[in-house]
Amino acid sequence: MAEHARVIVEKPFGRDLAPARELNQVAHAVFPEDSIFRIDHFLGKEATMNILYFRFANSFLEPIWNRNYVASVQITLSEDFGVGDRGAFYETAGCLRDVIENHLFQVVALLAMEPPAGRGFGAVHSEKAKVFQAMRPLKPNDLVRGQYAGYRKEPNVAKNSDVETFCALRLFIDSWRWQGVPWYLSSGKYLSQTATEVLVELKPPPQRLFADSAPTTGRANYLRFRLSPSAAVALAARVKLAGKEFVGEQRELYLFEERPGEEAPYERLLGDAMTGDGALFTREDTVEAAWAVVDPVLKTHHRALPYKRRSCGPKEADALIASDGCWHNPRPKEASG
């Protein structure tokens, strides 16, 4: 059956580094690498694909897209619902395996990768692999784990479960471009809203020419990618208010994209797999390099902290990002105009 066939494997691809390597070996015993499609529906989303396009189809980002101008990067994926009838699965996975190691790491790679050498998807895969290989392995103090109130009463959940339904972490990429820039990733269930956003905060101007050009409170200039439930790109810049005084406020230049009838991610990815197009799938080396980053904290970590439903997660996560401000909470609803 494997002759001239392809196999699609759903994420998470393995439970940690060792099972991922074993699963790769099993798959390679029957299929060549170009016939193995490790699927992550996040890569099939238009808004996710737009990150790659927006970065490399425009020239104005490149001069500032590095450690000299970027202060920090945040990626947030929040959901306002619980595990539902997936308690048995969540007991084997948890938020770190289910969302961060694959979905959010893939977004990190698109934001952090170097320009690919060519247009072929193999060149993109190679640059993404370098990002994962440059990620500093996590330590227990780099993340805060949480569990929403009532999780242990969900169907098929252990009464003394320590599985995290929320995870926030601080990540570093030890590369020439990103050395020293903190990446903050957070995701959780039963949070205040369902949304996914990226916030790239820039450093303030080097000289305070105007009294409010480097605000003491609030964020400096930033670029914001909204990935769901709507798709948008926004750039925050300070503009002068009318009057004689040189004072201003920060406003967003906002591009909203409404896509009625958009092809569903799985629809697109399954179609690509059937035609042998591996552009939106993950490669063996990227999967193993990503697991290597989280492997140290999958078993050695602090206990999950309780948090209220429809909150922003455990308050202890605030200390993780305190040196760079506060967590970004996506707006619940956004529309054009």
Side-chain angles (χ1 to χ4, degrees):
M1 290 178 63
E3 188 175 352
H4 305 300
R6 304 182 182 97
V7 61
I8 300 172
V9 186
E10 178 62 283
K11 66 89 188 168
F13 193 85
R15 280 187 47 77
D16 51 45
L17 181 57
R21 285 173 172 165
E22 183 180 355
L23 186 54
N24 275 324
Q25 291 171 0
V26 170
H28 284 141
V30 183
F31 298 93
E33 175 64 21
D34 60 5
S35 294
I36 303 170
F37 292 79
R38 303 169 189 83
I39 197 168
D40 183 341
H41 77 274
F42 234 63
L43 291 176
K45 290 177 174 286
E46 278 287 346
T48 305
M49 296 164 61
N50 187 50
I51 294 175
L52 181 67
Y53 184 85
F54 192 84
R55 276 199 61 196
F56 299 121
N58 300 297
S59 61
F60 62 88
L61 281 183
E62 179 57 27
I64 63 170
W65 209 251
N66 54 58
R67 68 188 188 283
N68 297 319
Y69 293 93
V70 175
S72 66
V73 182
Q74 285 193 52
I75 306 174
T76 304
L77 190 161
S78 63
E79 298 173 325
D80 65 0
F81 50 86
V83 298
D85 59 359
R86 300 173 71 229
F89 163 74
Y90 229 74
E91 281 293 282
T92 66
C95 182
L96 183 58
R97 287 183 174 95
D98 182 45
V99 177
I100 291 182
E101 185 274 338
N102 41 76
H103 294 338
L104 298 195
F105 270 25
Q106 291 297 326
V107 176
V108 170
L110 293 173
L111 291 164
M113 62 181 279
E114 296 298 322
R119 295 176 61 182
F121 65 79
V124 175
H125 286 326
S126 295
E127 295 303 333
K128 289 171 66 176
K130 294 175 184 177
V131 174
F132 295 126
Q133 291 160 3
M135 286 182 179
R136 194 180 303 173
L138 295 172
K139 297 179 180 179
N141 288 339
D142 291 327
L143 73 157
V144 172
R145 302 166 64 248
Q147 186 183 97
Y148 67 75
Y151 170 74
R152 296 179 182 180
K153 296 180 180 179
E154 300 281 21
N156 301 311
V157 170
K159 301 303 180 184
N160 61 345
S161 175
D162 186 48
V163 169
E164 77 282 355
T165 61
F166 169 93
C167 190
L169 61 86
R170 178 181 54 227
L171 178 74
F172 288 95
I173 301 172
D174 294 327
S175 68
W176 187 280
R177 182 184 293 264
W178 297 112
Q179 183 66 40
V181 177
W183 295 68
Y184 296 101
L185 280 55
S186 68
S187 181
K189 293 189 177 296
Y190 262 134
L191 298 180
S192 59
Q193 58 193 299
T194 296
T196 305
E197 285 199 0
V198 173
L199 188 84
V200 181
E201 185 165 358
L202 303 176
K203 294 181 179 179
Q207 182 180 1
R208 192 185 292 270
L209 185 58
F210 306 108
D212 63 349
S213 60
T216 55
T217 60
R219 301 192 185 282
N221 303 146
Y222 62 80
L223 182 68
R224 181 168 67 92
F225 293 96
R226 186 170 178 88
L227 306 183
S228 69
S230 56
V233 178
L235 175 66
R238 298 196 66 81
V239 293
K240 181 182 175 298
L241 295 174
K244 294 183 179 180
E245 300 297 325
F246 281 92
V247 294
E249 64 180 4
Q250 187 145 279
R251 296 179 184 174
E252 280 193 348
L253 305 173
Y254 185 78
L255 174 64
F256 175 81
E257 295 186 73
E258 191 170 8
R259 298 173 173 140
E262 178 182 325
E263 189 177 25
Y266 273 112
E267 183 181 1
R268 167 178 287 151
L269 293 172
L270 292 174
D272 285 354
M274 286 189 284
T275 59
D277 184 350
L280 302 179
F281 295 84
T282 54
R283 205 169 64 182
E284 174 187 14
D285 54 348
T286 62
V287 168
E288 295 184 3
W291 277 123
V293 178
V294 302
D295 214 46
V297 295
L298 288 175
K299 293 182 179 179
T300 304
H301 49 65
H302 302 299
R303 287 192 62 81
L305 302 166
Y307 65 93
K308 295 180 180 179
R309 297 189 183 199
R310 306 291 164 78
S311 69
C312 295
K315 293 182 179 179
E316 288 82 354
D318 294 344
L320 198 64
I321 198 174
S323 60
D324 290 291
C326 59
W327 291 103
H328 170 62
N329 292 315
R331 299 169 186 171
K333 293 183 180 179
E334 290 196 1
S336 56

